[in-house]
Amino acid sequence: MSQDILIISFKNVTKQFDKDNIALEDLSLDIKKGEFIFLVGKSGSGKTTLLKLLYLAEKPTKGNIFVEETDITKMKSGEIPLLRRKIGIVFQDFKLLSKKTIFENVLISLEVIGIEGDKAGERVKKILSAVGLGAKLDKYPEQLSGGEQQRVAIARAVVIRPQIILADEPTGNLDWGRTREIIAIMDELNAWGATIIFATHNERLFENTHRRVITLENGKILP
Amino acid sequence: MTFNIIIKKAFKDINRNFAPQIITTAIVSLFIFILVFYDVLSLNLTRFVDRFGRELAIVIFLEKDISPTEVPKYYEKMSKIKDIKKVTYISPEEAYKRLEENLKEEKGVLEGLNHNFLPHSFEIEISQAIQNLERIQDIAKEIEGWKGVSKVLYGQEWIQGLSIFAKNARIFVYLVALILLFTAAFVVTNAINSLVYHRREEVEIMRLIGATNFFIISPFIFVAFLQGFVGSLTGVITAFFAFNKLKEFLYTSPLLMDIKLAFLNINEIFSILFISVIFCVSGTYLALRKSLEL
């Protein structure tokens, strides 16, 4: 049923950084609730810009973007945190805090939405166990492998139970074994109902997939 | 709930950067100590001047030809003037007696003179004379214009000198206070900015995961509040102990005459704490707005 409800909609969106640098051009795209989408394209094709527009790290030059029927391009700066709480973001470079343990790195997501204490602690432990890091709560990011760090980043993104997960090249630095682990976690999150946009340039990931694949080239969606 | 998280984060920040935070608080204490020192100095100077000011009075001499029956009219008129505490009539006989006493061994020069040769006169005391130096002049000028008054004496130069000194001392203290408070706020602001710099990565990530500006800046503001409050309280307490030591030392000094040295009252202390905190917090808030592009 949820497959028919639109959760994200890009309407004629253009993002131009300067005169000769158009990252996205007149892009329109609808994403239904519960979809798992592979956003593919070469480096510089506009994948990261598209994701950044969704969590308003960038604003479009033209066009409108709707998230759950709200035009986020018209949001005031004070409303942006509320949008971001609906979205879990997994970055290619993990963006973990080196001076905090992995427990604290995940806890911070709950703290910003006002959840603390035992309840928050239990939730963090549960999610870290789910991604296979239940025994490494007190480790610091630098004590973990690349794949483990990426799993911490995923745990941080999903601990707030977001409706949308944006993953920007989350397997870019991982070997095939670790990549499959990450895909499996994403599959599970999708099965729980999260809408996932998975940006990658690794063709192997979507070769034989039944998921929708959106290919970007020079800021446009290929038919 | 969020408040607990903010307080915990603030204390973690202090813990992580303990030495710089303590140094900043100590600098605030030093500035507040100097400020209180100047304020107490100014307060006691005013009391010192007030001690002499209590004796300030206006002396009015009537025309020689004023008859004794007319004197009560002047007394009544003077008593009705606002701010006059006491009017004392000095009869010509009483004035003669005082003159004799003042001349001591040389009172012989008065021989042969009538005991009534001096005019009827009055001494006027003004309420809170030292705070009313300008009022003394105004009253003197007013009485000087009355018919039947020959001369009004009120030590104009002495009064003007006192007035200028008292005013300048206060202005100086206010200026020093302002400079010290601005400097204290500047030091705290810089310390917080360095804290922000160390946590810039965390702030960036917190923003990306949905932290509000309030959530991000509150721990920094709380640290600034603590530095302003603890720093100024320590400064005031240190100044109080230093003042008591000085008081013990000067206790037997003849210089003090009968003047009791006073420290700031509770309202002044609270004002200093409040203003110090306001300066530190608002300075930090403005700096955060700039550095975090709020």
Side-chain angles (χ1 to χ4, degrees):
Chain A
M1 187 80 91
S2 64
Q3 293 287 328
D4 299 319
I5 302 168
L6 274 187
I7 192 163
I8 295 167
S9 187
F10 286 74
K11 304 275 186 208
N12 307 104
V13 172
T14 296
K15 177 65 190 176
Q16 185 166 5
F17 288 104
D18 54 54
K19 201 180 166 190
D20 303 317
N21 186 2
I22 300 173
L24 294 173
E25 193 175 355
D26 199 28
L27 182 142
S28 291
L29 172 67
D30 288 335
I31 298 170
K32 289 171 189 159
K33 197 169 181 180
E35 263 196 290
F36 188 137
I37 287 176
F38 282 108
L39 184 65
V40 304
K42 289 176 190 162
S43 183
S45 59
K47 301 189 294 294
T48 300
T49 304
L50 188 145
L51 297 183
K52 281 186 172 177
L53 289 174
L54 266 177
Y55 59 88
L56 287 179
E58 297 287 352
K59 286 219 167 188
T61 314
K62 268 194 269 179
N64 303 87
I65 303 166
F66 295 85
V67 173
E68 286 187 317
E69 296 179 349
T70 302
D71 187 350
I72 63 167
T73 59
K74 293 192 172 115
M75 273 187 168
K76 290 171 188 161
S77 59
E79 294 169 319
I80 294 173
L82 302 176
L83 166 75
R84 290 179 180 168
R85 290 174 191 185
K86 291 179 186 168
I87 302 172
I89 310 162
V90 185
F91 302 94
Q92 184 179 8
D93 59 354
F94 317 140
K95 290 202 190 298
L96 299 178
L97 296 163
S98 56
K99 287 177 185 165
K100 287 186 186 285
T101 63
I102 65 164
F103 178 86
E104 290 170 329
N105 264 284
V106 179
L107 183 68
I108 197 170
S109 273
L110 292 173
E111 286 179 338
V112 300
I113 58 170
I115 301 173
E116 58 151 352
D118 293 343
K119 193 180 166 191
E122 284 309 312
R123 236 162 109 170
V124 173
K125 283 177 192 165
K126 205 170 162 187
I127 198 76
L128 282 170
S129 295
V131 296
L133 294 169
K136 297 189 173 181
L137 301 179
D138 298 330
K139 300 280 182 199
Y140 287 87
E142 62 183 20
Q143 296 173 295
L144 304 179
S145 69
E148 286 172 326
Q149 288 186 37
Q150 192 57 286
R151 279 187 272 157
V152 177
I154 292 170
R156 186 185 60 197
V158 303
V159 72
I160 56 166
R161 296 169 188 160
Q163 297 162 49
I164 301 162
I165 297 170
L166 308 179
D168 189 8
E169 302 270 10
T171 57
N173 300 319
L174 307 180
D175 60 32
W176 181 241
R178 299 291 177 209
T179 299
R180 281 173 60 190
E181 279 178 21
I182 300 299
I183 293 290
I185 293 168
M186 291 292 176
D187 273 334
E188 201 173 335
L189 293 169
N190 183 231
W192 289 347
T195 305
I196 296 176
I197 305 178
F198 193 111
T200 182
H201 63 270
N202 185 351
E203 289 180 12
R204 220 173 142 187
L205 283 176
F206 54 88
E207 265 172 359
N208 300 310
T209 186
H210 60 283
R211 317 280 192 197
R212 181 148 69 119
V213 178
I214 294 166
T215 308
L216 280 176
E217 195 175 286
N218 297 324
K220 290 180 178 172
I221 295 175
L222 291 184
Chain B
M1 197 98 110
T2 309
F3 188 69
N4 285 343
I5 299 170
I6 288 164
I7 305 285
K8 274 185 205 162
K9 278 193 172 296
F11 279 107
K12 264 188 189 171
D13 276 341
I14 293 171
N15 209 20
R16 264 188 228 144
N17 300 276
F18 194 68
Q21 302 307 319
I22 287 293
I23 290 168
T24 306
T25 310
I27 292 170
V28 173
S29 298
L30 179 68
F31 286 147
I32 297 299
F33 177 85
I34 298 169
L35 188 156
V36 172
F37 172 81
Y38 274 111
D39 207 4
V40 169
L41 193 71
S42 157
L43 172 75
N44 285 291
L45 273 175
T46 308
R47 287 168 70 92
F48 202 71
V49 172
D50 190 35
R51 163 70 181 72
F52 295 105
R54 257 180 261 149
E55 287 163 18
L56 287 175
I58 303 174
V59 182
I60 295 117
F61 297 98
L62 300 183
E63 299 278 5
K64 192 77 190 73
D65 54 0
I66 296 288
S67 77
T69 53
E70 286 176 279
V71 169
K73 275 196 303 185
Y74 286 95
Y75 181 88
E76 232 170 87
K77 211 172 163 187
M78 282 174 206
S79 303
K80 281 178 186 164
I81 295 175
K82 199 184 154 210
D83 294 327
I84 286 187
K85 194 165 88 180
K86 194 179 169 191
V87 180
T88 310
Y89 167 65
I90 315 289
S91 65
E93 293 79 12
E94 171 69 18
Y96 184 86
K97 223 167 119 186
R98 285 187 184 185
L99 187 61
E100 263 189 334
E101 281 167 14
N102 285 341
L103 288 171
K104 290 177 185 169
E105 291 88 25
E106 284 149 13
K107 65 179 178 185
V109 295
L110 298 175
E111 263 177 39
L113 288 171
N114 190 325
H115 286 197
N116 287 332
F117 88 97
L118 290 168
H120 298 281
S121 61
F122 296 91
E123 277 177 7
I124 292 178
E125 283 178 42
I126 312 292
S127 311
Q128 294 175 308
I130 202 69
Q131 281 91 35
N132 267 322
L133 294 174
E134 280 168 11
R135 185 73 185 125
I136 293 176
Q137 293 180 45
D138 292 344
I139 291 170
K141 273 180 191 160
E142 184 187 336
I143 296 173
E144 211 166 20
W146 292 356
K147 200 180 166 193
V149 172
S150 73
K151 200 166 189 179
V152 176
L153 297 176
Y154 60 98
Q156 193 175 8
E157 282 178 13
W158 162 240
I159 289 169
Q160 277 174 341
L162 270 180
S163 174
I164 290 164
F165 177 77
K167 271 183 190 169
N168 287 347
R170 287 318 286 174
I171 291 168
F172 178 73
V173 168
Y174 289 143
L175 276 176
V176 169
L178 208 61
I179 291 166
L180 289 171
L181 285 169
F182 267 117
T183 318
F186 180 72
V187 171
V188 170
T189 301
N190 269 339
I192 302 292
N193 266 341
S194 115
L195 215 57
V196 173
Y197 181 78
H198 282 106
R199 279 187 50 195
R200 64 195 185 286
E201 192 191 5
E202 187 180 341
V203 167
E204 187 205 331
I205 291 169
M206 280 163 70
R207 272 186 169 159
L208 289 174
I209 59 178
T212 57
N213 285 337
F214 173 80
F215 186 86
I216 292 169
I217 68 166
S218 296
F220 298 119
I221 295 287
F222 186 71
V223 173
F225 166 82
L226 280 182
Q227 285 177 332
F229 182 73
V230 175
S232 51
L233 188 65
T234 313
V236 170
I237 290 171
T238 314
F240 179 72
F241 282 111
F243 166 79
N244 274 343
K245 279 278 164 206
L246 187 72
K247 206 164 92 172
E248 276 172 31
F249 180 71
L250 291 174
Y251 187 65
T252 51
S253 170
L255 279 173
L256 283 181
M257 303 173 69
D258 59 341
I259 296 161
K260 284 183 181 165
L261 291 177
F263 195 68
L264 307 178
N265 65 36
I266 198 75
N267 288 338
E268 287 167 323
I269 290 171
F270 275 122
S271 301
I272 287 175
L273 297 183
F274 180 73
I275 294 169
S276 167
V277 166
I278 291 291
F279 267 63
C280 292
V281 167
S282 51
T284 300
Y285 176 71
L286 292 174
L288 285 173
R289 274 181 70 102
K290 202 177 167 194
S291 63
L292 295 176
E293 292 168 5
L294 300 178

